[in-house]
Amino acid sequence: MANLQSSFLGIKSPNPFWLASGPPTDKITNVIRAFEAGWGGVVWKTLGTQIKNVSSRYSALNLNGKKIAGFNNIELISDRPLDLNLQEITEVMRLFPDRAMVVSLMADNDRNSWHELVKKVQDTGAHGLELNFGCPHGMVERGMGATVGQDPEIAGMIVEWVMEVAEIPVITKLTPNVHSVVPVGRAVVEAGSNGLSLINTIQSVTGIDLDTLVPNPNVAGKSVFGGYCGPAVKPIALKFITTLAQDEITCRIPISGIGGITTWKDAVEFILLGSGNLQVCTAVMLSGFRIIRDLCDGMNNWMDEKGYQNVADFTGLSLPKLTKWEELDINYHIVARINQEKCIHCGLCYIVCEDTSHQSIFKEDGHPYNTYKIKEEECVGCNLCKIVCPVDGCITMNEQRKGADYLNWKEFQRMGLPLNNH
Amino acid sequence: MAIESNRLSEEVLKDFFSDIHPPFEYDEGAVIEANRCINCYDAPCTKLCPTHIDVPLFIKQISSGNIKGSARTIFLSNIMGTGCSKVCPVEKLCEGACVFNLLKEEPVPIAKLQRYSTEKALKEKWNLLIRKESTGKKVAVVGAGPAGLACAHELSLNGVDVTVFEKEEKPGGLMTYGIAAYKVTPEFCKEEVDYITAIGGIEIRTGITLGKDITLRELREKFDAVFLGIGVGKTRGLKIPGEELEGVVDAINFIYNLRTSDYSKVAVGDKVAVIGMGMTAIDAATQSKRLGAKEVTMIYRRSENEKPCTDSQLDIARLDGCHIIWLAAPKEIIGENGKVKKLVCNKMKLGDIDSSGRLSPVETGETFTLEVDMVIKATGQLPYEELIGKSSIRAREGKIVISENSETNIPGVFAGGDAVNGGKEVVNAVQDGKNGAKAILTYIGI
Ligand SMILES: Cc1cc2nc3c(=O)[nH]c(=O)nc-3n(C[C@H](O)[C@H](O)[C@H](O)COP(=O)(O)OP(=O)(O)OC[C@H]3O[C@@H](n4cnc5c(N)ncnc54)[C@H](O)[C@@H]3O)c2cc1C
Ligand SMILES: Cc1cc2nc3c(=O)[nH]c(=O)nc-3n(C[C@H](O)[C@H](O)[C@H](O)COP(=O)(O)O)c2cc1C
Ligand code: SF4
Ligand code: SF4
């Protein structure tokens, strides 16, 4: 059995799964239930100057009958009294001493406020702090949250203020509502942040009620941009994490990976691209804390199969495999092949290739089942047919190199090789 | 032992004759199933539908919440799409072709989904297909069955004024008088016909028989073209001794009674033998059982492999508790006081392949005898040989012969449905009606 024990910035937890700051970590009742279910740690719901929330607060994006491909919210930071939160944090830590307790913070935009808040939280004995520079709604209008996270200078300054009084590890949580997370990431690393976490939610409109014409979620006939999260944001989160893990400055400190993690496979992917541990919010909001069982179990079995002892054994292993387009091998060429035994004659591969790709599939009419064959000489190896095929392993992509040696685009141009003529 | 009516209580009968394929109870159910469809291209389900309904499209329209569009997609190809969703043997048509079968998974419930959107259309009286302005052209349709109605609808859509002549009191053909009562109700049949005629331009005149009240010549003179959708007639005789005894009935008449009176008034025997293994035989057997017959035995001269009904139809009979005897052919019916008492059968074996392409039944010389008080003949229906025979219409074995464009040997006279194919399904009759209408439109220059 692999060992899932995790240590992130020296903060220990029995597994690498923390609950991200949000409703699941909003109060003692939830957090106790989460720890009883087996979660490794929590990032307590963001504390700051107490606010007031509206109703309704959430909406979702459904896709072809699959509910909730994406989720969105317009909640603010904690709407509960600061002292009550601090008391509860102390109490939970007493009850579950082996779990990680990190507290998310978003103070008013001055040095004193940050100092005061950091000190109060440290008094609870919490293991770490997470600076919320990412909330894309509500707080922005007050000059906090994502506003801070979008400006390297302000972000760096606040981290400096925090580091002046911090006695426990500080993680800076970044917003994805930027063209690149690297400038802010570099600024906070240089300001002394001990770790990074991302992504927070992405500004979004999930949809509009076609009867009332009010976008979701509806608050008395109006709506605002909400923060998008859940399965749909995973690819964006992975991209942002990779850019930090590959940057020479931001790679110096550990990254806590967040954004759409729903299954153990997602979690493994985050680790493979450089996450030191993981945070989950939406997935538990949609299914409850019980999902921790398969998150751990699935990762464990995969690690056993692969022979990894610890999470560290595979952290970042896929990073070198994400390169620049210019470095890709142009001589690599694959073509699709249909396994006629597995084919169920749905024609999906044919119609997508015919209408939008390279007309590389031949249709032989039958009654009622047509036969589909690949025209290998036309196939560009784009993967489209394999992606739409409903049968696993029915379409495979087979290597037919255009040349024996590695050849990149620069070399290709230098050698004056011919481009397509059709 | 006796043939009696009123064997079961009202409630039991109601239950036994309730919808055999119930509809979705909740919209969510329809959406879940609709989302299972993977939206095949050049879809096998559509190909095996004789009316070529765009199945993936109408199913996707259910999942996108465009129910009106879904119903319209169905009606564009098949105006009796609702009736078909209840009576089609889909296991050998669309659902039998669904690619999920190849994965050994349950096919998408196409018929149930089709019923979902089209029943809403009927209930809400959605006006989905709009008739073109009248062209002043007039066409006579004989027979208000599926073929005639589909033809009339297509013609009317294109601006033709249609008069339908029907010998029975009610329109609908075998849909109203023949199909099992647990598939469609008289109320439904009326609702469907009303929906079809709601586009306007179709006048149905019931109680008028071609060959008695009107002649083909008259119709040819008064109308620009004629479509014959007269179906097939009585059940073929057994041609064995004892066929005239009291208690030997024709399946079509038996079911006709069942469809036109209260179930409690329909008489059925204690021990019933049903001869045949087609859809009509299955319907006669299962409905006898549901009326309260104690024992129902189905007798078929070939083996299960050659049976004309589908597996799921046979399952209905089996689940209803009907006995089945394969490889047996009726030899003689023995009576007492003019009433059926026994049925003597030849034991058969399989011989060579016959003209139907199946292994033929051959007598073994052995016999066996069943105690019965009622024998229902369901051995295939005979075409209207008399009517057709008397006219100058070309026919082969009583089936009207038509050209590729649905025309008979008499110019301007077109035909389709059971009258031409000798007895297939409702959906084939609908397609024939559409084909006839298209040919007529060309013929009359529209
Ligand atoms: C017992 C039984 C069960 C069946 N079950 C099913 C089933 O479950 N599913 C299925 O798809 N199919 C079933 N069928 C077959 C289906 O009913 C027919 O294929 C279909 O109704 C044929 O349509 P049609 O319009 O050609 O003929 P019909 O439905 O027979 O309509 C012909 C019409 O013409 C009228 N007519 C006849 N002669 C004249 C005349 N001289 N003048 C005026 N009008 C005339 C008749 O009264 C009738 O209304 C069943 C058939 C039977 C007998
Ligand atoms: C309802 C809701 C409230 C949230 N509140 C906070 C918050 O107070 N502080 C914070 O840093 N992130 C907050 N988040 C963002 C999450 O912590 C997380 O970064 C984001 O949802 C992406 O992860 P996920 O896809 O697993 O949900 C919130 C998210 C949701 C859905
Ligand atoms: S998509 Fe796959 S299953 Fe469908 S026709 Fe193509 S190869 Fe066959
Ligand atoms: S064959 Fe089945 S899955 Fe394919 S389009 Fe038809 S109903 Fe859908």
Side-chain angles (χ1 to χ4, degrees):
Chain A
M1 277 277 271
N3 180 3
L4 288 190
Q5 290 254 331
S6 157
S7 172
F8 186 82
L9 295 172
I11 306 170
K12 301 222 163 19
S13 57
N15 61 57
F17 295 101
W18 293 358
L19 286 169
S21 178
T25 64
D26 179 56
K27 56 178 166 321
I28 190 165
T29 335
N30 303 11
V31 175
I32 286 179
R33 289 180 60 79
F35 284 164
E36 281 171 354
W39 285 83
V42 298
V43 180
W44 198 272
K45 173 73 182 178
T46 306
L47 305 181
T49 307
Q50 195 180 353
I51 52 79
K52 182 101 189 93
N53 272 308
V54 293
S55 151
S56 57
R57 304 176 186 181
Y58 307 148
S59 67
L61 178 85
N62 300 336
L63 198 66
N64 293 333
K66 172 81 187 74
K67 292 204 82 176
I68 328 171
F71 188 69
N72 131 319
N73 83 91
I74 56 168
E75 273 184 0
L76 308 182
I77 63 171
S78 177
D79 58 7
R80 308 174 68 229
L82 178 63
D83 287 345
L84 181 61
N85 275 304
L86 297 175
Q87 258 173 40
E88 290 184 354
I89 290 168
T90 316
E91 175 64 7
V92 175
M93 291 187 60
R94 192 183 63 77
L95 292 172
F96 294 91
D98 65 327
R99 310 303 166 93
M101 174 60 73
V102 173
V103 180
S104 172
L105 306 178
M106 185 191 291
D108 290 350
N109 236 349
D110 61 83
R111 189 171 175 191
N112 247 348
S113 301
W114 277 102
H115 279 185
E116 230 174 90
L117 191 59
V118 169
K119 285 180 193 159
K120 279 189 181 168
V121 170
Q122 281 181 163
D123 287 345
T124 63
H127 304 122
L129 303 172
E130 187 179 77
L131 312 182
N132 180 355
F133 288 180
C135 187
H137 46 263
M139 307 314 289
V140 175
E141 290 80 342
R142 304 167 196 209
M144 291 184 267
T147 318
V148 176
Q150 284 163 338
D151 188 324
E153 218 171 303
I154 305 177
M157 186 175 70
I158 293 180
V159 170
E160 275 172 22
W161 292 341
V162 169
M163 298 319 292
E164 286 164 7
V165 290
E167 291 160 3
I168 50 178
V170 173
I171 303 163
T172 305
K173 183 167 179 176
L174 301 180
T175 177
N177 294 298
V178 286
H179 162 69
S180 165
V181 287
V182 174
V184 176
R186 286 184 171 190
V188 302
V189 170
E190 276 161 353
S193 184
N194 305 109
L196 295 169
S197 62
L198 77 168
I199 58 173
N200 210 311
T201 55
I202 306 172
Q203 286 206 316
S204 63
V205 179
T206 51
I208 299 175
D209 181 318
L210 294 185
D211 287 326
T212 62
L213 312 190
V214 179
N216 308 322
N218 179 333
V219 182
K222 293 272 166 62
S223 193
V224 293
F225 295 155
Y228 200 42
C229 49
V233 308
K234 180 190 89 170
I236 300 163
L238 286 176
K239 181 259 177 177
F240 276 138
I241 286 167
T242 304
T243 58
L244 292 178
Q246 289 183 332
D247 181 76
E248 55 184 357
I249 294 173
T250 50
C251 76
R252 291 181 203 149
I253 63 173
I255 302 166
S256 183
I258 321 171
I261 298 172
T262 309
T263 68
W264 63 267
K265 286 188 181 173
D266 300 329
V268 167
E269 290 166 354
F270 274 77
I271 295 171
L272 287 170
L273 287 176
S275 304
N277 77 350
L278 309 151
Q279 296 186 32
V280 178
C281 179
T282 304
V284 292
M285 288 187 69
L286 302 178
S287 307
F289 297 130
R290 60 204 163 127
I291 64 166
I292 187 63
R293 287 187 56 178
D294 191 52
L295 284 172
C296 288
D297 193 49
M299 186 185 283
N300 213 319
N301 288 339
W302 177 81
M303 285 168 68
D304 284 348
E305 271 167 36
K306 288 285 186 185
Y308 299 125
Q309 306 287 316
N310 300 294
V311 169
D313 291 352
F314 62 99
T315 306
L317 289 190
S318 294
L319 282 171
K321 300 181 194 292
L322 261 167
T323 177
K324 295 196 187 68
W325 194 91
E326 294 76 28
E327 284 165 12
L328 295 174
D329 181 2
I330 285 180
N331 272 341
Y332 178 75
H333 184 71
I334 51 175
V335 295
R337 187 174 301 148
I338 296 175
N339 180 339
Q340 296 297 339
E341 312 254 278
K342 287 193 170 179
C343 175
I344 59 169
H345 316 282
C346 68
L348 292 176
C349 56
Y350 171 80
I351 195 56
V352 296
C353 187
E354 193 69 12
D355 280 359
T356 72
S357 198
H358 290 77
Q359 297 78 44
S360 318
I361 301 180
F362 175 75
K363 170 162 83 82
E364 194 182 300
D365 287 334
H367 192 77
Y369 301 121
N370 300 338
T371 305
Y372 298 98
K373 290 184 184 141
I374 305 291
K375 301 180 212 163
E376 292 198 356
E377 59 300 345
E378 304 290 335
C379 176
V380 300
C382 70
N383 278 351
L384 187 61
C385 58
K386 180 181 153 79
I387 289 168
V388 300
C389 179
V391 185
D392 266 357
C394 172
I395 298 184
T396 49
M397 306 301 294
N398 297 276
E399 197 168 331
Q400 291 186 0
R401 290 189 66 87
K402 293 285 185 195
D405 302 323
Y406 166 82
L407 175 70
N408 67 30
W409 172 236
K410 272 193 214 123
E411 279 298 294
F412 186 94
Q413 278 176 308
R414 198 186 54 77
M415 290 161 72
L417 292 169
L419 296 166
N420 289 352
N421 59 3
H422 62 274
Chain B
M1 289 221 305
I3 300 185
E4 282 170 5
S5 55
N6 230 335
R7 287 172 175 268
L8 301 173
S9 74
E10 192 108 355
E11 296 88 78
V12 172
L13 284 170
K14 203 173 152 223
D15 180 35
F16 283 2
F17 284 94
S18 66
D19 214 326
I20 193 165
H21 301 300
F24 286 110
E25 295 213 19
Y26 301 99
D27 293 335
E28 285 77 5
V31 174
I32 289 170
E33 288 298 336
N35 279 313
R36 282 181 65 223
C37 170
I38 60 171
N39 206 2
C40 296
Y41 173 74
D42 201 8
C45 49
T46 292
K47 281 196 200 165
L48 281 206
C49 171
T51 61
H52 303 301
I53 294 173
D54 191 336
V55 176
L57 176 60
F58 96 69
I59 293 182
K60 281 304 133 189
Q61 288 173 312
I62 292 176
S63 70
S64 82
N66 179 9
I67 311 299
K68 271 189 190 161
S70 170
R72 186 168 190 275
T73 300
I74 295 161
F75 289 140
L76 271 175
S77 292
N78 183 339
I79 192 60
M80 295 193 90
T82 326
C84 279
S85 76
K86 297 166 183 245
V87 308
C88 276
V90 287
E91 61 280 5
K92 65 175 184 187
L93 301 172
C94 54
E95 289 182 20
C98 177
V99 297
F100 280 103
N101 293 297
L102 302 175
L103 291 173
K104 304 284 177 242
E105 290 295 324
E106 280 295 305
V108 173
I110 301 171
K112 200 170 174 183
L113 290 164
Q114 180 168 316
R115 176 168 175 181
Y116 174 77
S117 33
T118 58
E119 252 182 0
K120 275 202 163 56
L122 259 61
K123 197 161 146 268
E124 308 285 334
K125 301 193 166 47
W126 284 337
N127 210 348
L128 299 174
L129 302 173
I130 311 292
R131 178 174 197 239
K132 285 187 194 148
E133 222 174 288
S134 172
T135 55
K137 297 278 187 189
K138 293 191 302 181
V139 171
V141 168
V142 185
L149 288 170
C151 179
H153 186 266
E154 184 73 29
L155 288 169
S156 172
L157 261 187
N158 287 285
V160 175
D161 295 323
V162 185
T163 310
V164 183
F165 299 95
E166 166 58 52
K167 76 172 163 54
E168 296 290 337
E169 233 172 82
K170 291 187 201 159
L174 285 174
M175 199 73 166
T176 300
Y177 294 108
I179 285 168
Y182 46 70
K183 291 184 188 161
V184 286
T185 60
E187 298 75 47
F188 167 74
C189 293
K190 180 172 182 320
E191 202 187 350
E192 183 166 55
V193 173
D194 288 348
Y195 187 77
I196 294 171
T197 54
I199 55 158
I202 303 174
E203 188 199 353
I204 303 184
R205 299 182 55 193
T206 52
I208 297 185
T209 305
L210 174 70
K212 209 165 90 196
D213 307 311
I214 40 164
T215 64
L216 193 53
R217 173 166 306 138
E218 280 171 68
L219 294 180
R220 276 302 289 123
E221 283 164 6
K222 290 196 188 138
F223 293 87
D224 297 303
V226 179
F227 180 81
L228 300 176
I230 55 177
V232 282
K234 285 219 182 87
T235 303
R236 188 175 283 127
L238 297 172
K239 302 198 181 80
I240 58 172
E243 201 170 344
E244 71 298 335
L245 288 165
E246 191 184 325
V248 180
V249 299
D250 171 346
I252 301 296
N253 287 342
F254 175 66
I255 295 169
Y256 181 98
N257 287 338
L258 199 101
R259 293 295 311 271
T260 49
S261 42
D262 286 349
Y263 302 132
S264 59
K265 292 192 187 127
V266 184
V268 70
D270 267 341
K271 296 188 171 189
V272 180
V274 177
I275 319 288
M277 198 55 74
M279 184 142 54
T280 306
I282 299 274
D283 284 356
T286 54
Q287 292 180 105
S288 298
K289 197 81 199 189
R290 285 163 194 241
L291 284 174
K294 298 213 170 82
E295 240 180 73
V296 175
T297 308
M298 299 187 71
I299 289 158
Y300 181 56
R301 57 196 180 129
R302 306 182 205 237
S303 78
E304 184 163 354
N305 277 334
E306 292 78 31
K307 68 178 185 303
C309 67
T310 66
D311 287 339
S312 42
Q313 287 161 351
L314 184 61
D315 285 346
I316 301 175
R318 283 184 164 143
L319 287 172
D320 276 1
C322 302
H323 301 300
I324 290 157
I325 302 180
W326 304 107
L327 292 166
K331 183 174 190 287
E332 183 183 359
I333 305 168
I334 298 170
E336 203 178 273
N337 305 327
K339 292 181 182 169
V340 173
K341 192 90 177 81
K342 286 181 181 148
L343 174 68
V344 183
C345 297
N346 279 318
K347 285 193 186 172
M348 313 295 276
K349 62 179 187 201
L350 292 175
D352 297 337
I353 290 177
D354 66 11
S355 62
S356 74
R358 294 172 297 173
L359 295 177
S360 63
V362 184
E363 285 180 18
T364 59
E366 284 178 66
T367 66
F368 65 93
T369 304
L370 294 174
E371 298 273 327
V372 294
D373 54 7
M374 186 173 186
V375 175
I376 304 181
K377 301 183 282 183
T379 41
Q381 285 162 265
L382 286 176
Y384 282 116
E385 270 169 349
E386 210 185 324
L387 176 69
I388 308 293
K390 269 196 298 195
S391 71
S392 48
I393 294 178
R394 180 132 54 84
R396 196 177 299 130
E397 294 168 4
K399 295 185 255 185
I400 300 175
V401 176
I402 56 171
S403 67
E404 222 157 69
N405 62 0
S406 304
E407 204 170 6
T408 66
N409 59 316
I410 308 178
V413 178
F414 298 76
D418 279 3
V420 169
N421 64 36
K424 280 189 179 167
E425 325 289 349
V426 170
V427 66
N428 302 99
V430 170
Q431 184 60 22
D432 281 7
K434 273 164 60 189
N435 291 343
K438 294 211 172 98
I440 290 173
L441 290 172
T442 312
Y443 176 79
I444 62 182
I446 293 184

